[in-house]
Amino acid sequence: MGGQRLDLRMKALVVLGWVVAAGCTAESEALFGVEGTLPDPLRFEDGRRVTSETQWPDRRAEILELFKTHVYGHAPGLPEQLAFTVLEEDPAALGGTANLMRVAITSRQAGREHTFELIRFAPNTGTPSGVFLLLNNRSANNTDPTRIEKSEFWPVEDAIARGYAIAAIQNSELAIDDAPPFAAGVIQLFEGDAAGPRPPDAWKAIGAWSWGASRAMDYLATDRLIDPTRVAVIGHSRGGKAALWTGAQDERFSLVISNGSGCAGAALTRRPRGVRETITVINALFPDWFADNFRAFNDNEEALPIDQHMLIGLIAPRGVAVGSGSYDSWADPEGEYLGLAYASSVYALFGDALIDPTAMPGEDGSVFVAPRGYHLRTGNHDLTAWDWQRYMDVADQTWPR
Ligand code: GTR
């Protein structure tokens, strides 16, 4: 058994070498369906190779800039003023087991103002807790602070039972998920009402949701019931893309969770055509999500100097968990697994073991190679209570108590 595992590890190493090296062999394509050559996270644009952890910050900065320029756009940082106002606190929520806070996060910039709300429950354990921050892309009744409505999408009671805090922000309060009104939220806070063309590398809705996640982190870092070294950002589908983009940019998140994030999320874009979503389709269906520059790669994935394993690599050496639904071919579960597996070369710089690209778990299986987890749930495109239990399993191992 041990020998077999070692063989697989060796095979993975060899194959990892093949795919990221100059020429992808026919055999590796047949094994993983990775078309052509994956860009190498460890090779600078000028050809130099990253051979040690100390060189990584420079290469990391280069990759981050490529994602800003070509995919998610450039977003601003802190506004001129940022204020947190407690709208409600219930120290004896959920029958006394939890503390509920509703906080208004208000930004002021150039005389303009924008406010969105954060809801969080923390267990009344007497010590600060790790927290899961959901970027909610569904309706607000999924994150009901009164708990009259309960949704598996944000299972407060389950998190509290496992000793975790859980928080949520509403993506639509940052940028409405539609073109053209996407700019009506935080983008106008910074840019005003100026009509006319925006730069082709300007942030849009996904950049705005991620910006909000970082402002939520600004608040959580001040919350006496939260351990700021244990903050996870989590999202499903478009929210999962935003969660990964948040974790790639903001190193304060020690765990980043992508559920069913698919194209421009965890899934590699250099993959065989089929049912999965492509760059061409996503740009056509959702013109409000990505920088306009991303359209240059419609039917032209090979020209991208990056692929999504490099987005996950930007999270290293922090924790990352990827989950897929086995029937969710549109999000390409195998591509999501490979995105995580091929980030291994970056994690290896920090001494972490490889995730074997040939050993994707079967239905209802999971794998954890510290500090990264993957699971495949039998089922559709959704974020369920079962998925959350797997993410809490990863948190248990990533944030040991
Ligand atoms: C789909 C879209 C996906 C995914 C999904 C969702 O229609 O093609 O990229 O984001 O929506 O957010 O539920």
Side-chain angles (χ1 to χ4, degrees):
M1 201 43 202
Q4 198 187 343
R5 221 178 280 137
L6 191 67
D7 282 356
L8 271 176
R9 176 71 55 77
M10 288 307 295
K11 194 168 150 199
L13 265 169
V14 171
V15 169
L16 198 62
W18 285 344
V19 176
V20 297
C24 181
T25 67
E27 187 171 355
S28 64
E29 284 185 26
L31 275 171
F32 311 122
V34 177
E35 291 176 73
T37 305
L38 277 184
D40 185 348
L42 301 186
R43 192 172 290 283
F44 283 97
E45 289 189 277
D46 67 7
R48 280 177 302 129
R49 244 191 106 63
V50 177
T51 52
S52 75
E53 188 187 323
T54 52
Q55 293 167 295
W56 173 243
D58 287 343
R59 175 60 175 148
R60 183 183 187 284
E62 200 173 78
I63 296 172
L64 190 58
E65 189 56 34
L66 290 168
F67 275 106
K68 288 181 181 176
T69 301
H70 297 301
V71 186
Y72 306 102
H74 287 88
L78 281 166
E80 288 163 0
Q81 289 176 7
L82 184 67
F84 311 125
T85 312
V86 176
L87 302 173
E88 179 187 354
E89 176 166 16
D90 179 359
L94 306 184
T97 60
N99 173 292
L100 162 67
M101 279 275 223
R102 288 179 42 236
V103 179
I105 300 179
T106 300
S107 300
R108 293 191 189 89
Q109 180 80 21
R112 293 180 289 270
E113 189 174 294
H114 174 270
T115 296
F116 69 106
E117 183 176 328
L118 175 136
I119 307 169
R120 79 102 182 89
F121 286 87
N124 278 329
T125 50
T127 50
S129 311
V131 62
F132 295 86
L133 170 67
L134 175 73
L135 310 186
N136 186 21
N137 56 304
R138 292 194 177 165
S139 59
N141 59 355
N142 285 280
T143 59
D144 179 10
T146 69
R147 307 313 292 151
I148 292 169
E149 282 201 54
K150 295 196 172 77
S151 159
E152 290 191 29
F153 205 68
W154 194 60
V156 172
E157 293 72 13
D158 293 353
I160 297 295
R162 285 188 64 163
Y164 289 115
I166 186 167
I169 59 176
Q170 196 62 31
N171 290 355
S172 57
E173 292 186 3
L174 293 149
I176 293 171
D177 193 358
D178 205 355
F182 72 87
V186 287
I187 293 178
Q188 273 184 10
L189 170 74
F190 284 91
E191 298 179 12
D193 300 325
R198 303 174 69 233
D201 64 344
W203 57 325
K204 289 195 179 174
I206 289 188
W209 303 334
S210 291
W211 182 92
S214 286
R215 302 295 73 79
M217 178 75 202
D218 294 337
Y219 163 72
L220 290 168
T222 70
D223 186 324
R224 68 191 160 80
L225 296 184
I226 299 300
D227 176 349
T229 68
R230 296 175 180 206
V231 182
V233 59
I234 172 168
H236 167 64
S237 203
R238 63 199 73 190
K241 304 179 212 295
L244 286 172
W245 182 228
T246 302
Q249 295 179 93
D250 191 335
E251 296 179 275
R252 295 173 297 173
F253 290 95
S254 55
L255 179 58
V256 181
I257 303 171
S258 138
N259 192 79
S261 61
C263 178
L268 293 175
T269 49
R270 287 164 173 81
R271 290 272 294 149
R273 295 260 184 269
V275 186
R276 73 179 177 90
E277 187 170 32
T278 60
I279 295 178
T280 311
V281 170
I282 208 167
N283 278 327
L285 289 177
F286 306 101
D288 60 311
W289 286 0
F290 304 101
D292 288 351
N293 277 344
F294 198 32
R295 296 176 194 165
F297 304 98
N298 286 353
D299 290 324
N300 192 21
E301 289 86 348
E302 297 302 317
L304 259 177
I306 44 187
D307 208 319
Q308 299 306 109
H309 63 309
M310 293 160 79
L311 182 70
I312 296 175
L314 292 176
I315 298 164
R318 293 166 291 140
V320 55
V322 172
S324 316
S326 61
Y327 310 152
D328 189 8
S329 347
W330 187 242
D332 188 13
E334 194 187 24
E336 294 178 318
Y337 177 72
L338 293 177
L340 182 71
Y342 284 117
S344 289
S345 60
V346 183
Y347 278 87
L349 287 176
F350 299 90
D352 296 323
L354 296 178
I355 293 184
D356 181 349
T358 67
M360 180 174 170
E363 286 186 318
D364 297 334
S366 61
V367 59
F368 181 77
V369 178
R372 293 147 295 159
Y374 176 84
H375 75 253
L376 180 68
R377 171 181 43 78
T378 304
N380 293 318
H381 186 63
D382 200 0
L383 171 58
T384 69
W386 192 85
D387 292 312
W388 275 95
Q389 292 296 339
R390 301 293 73 72
Y391 298 133
M392 288 189 258
D393 293 344
V394 171
D396 288 348
Q397 296 178 79
T398 312
W399 301 325
R401 284 173 236 203

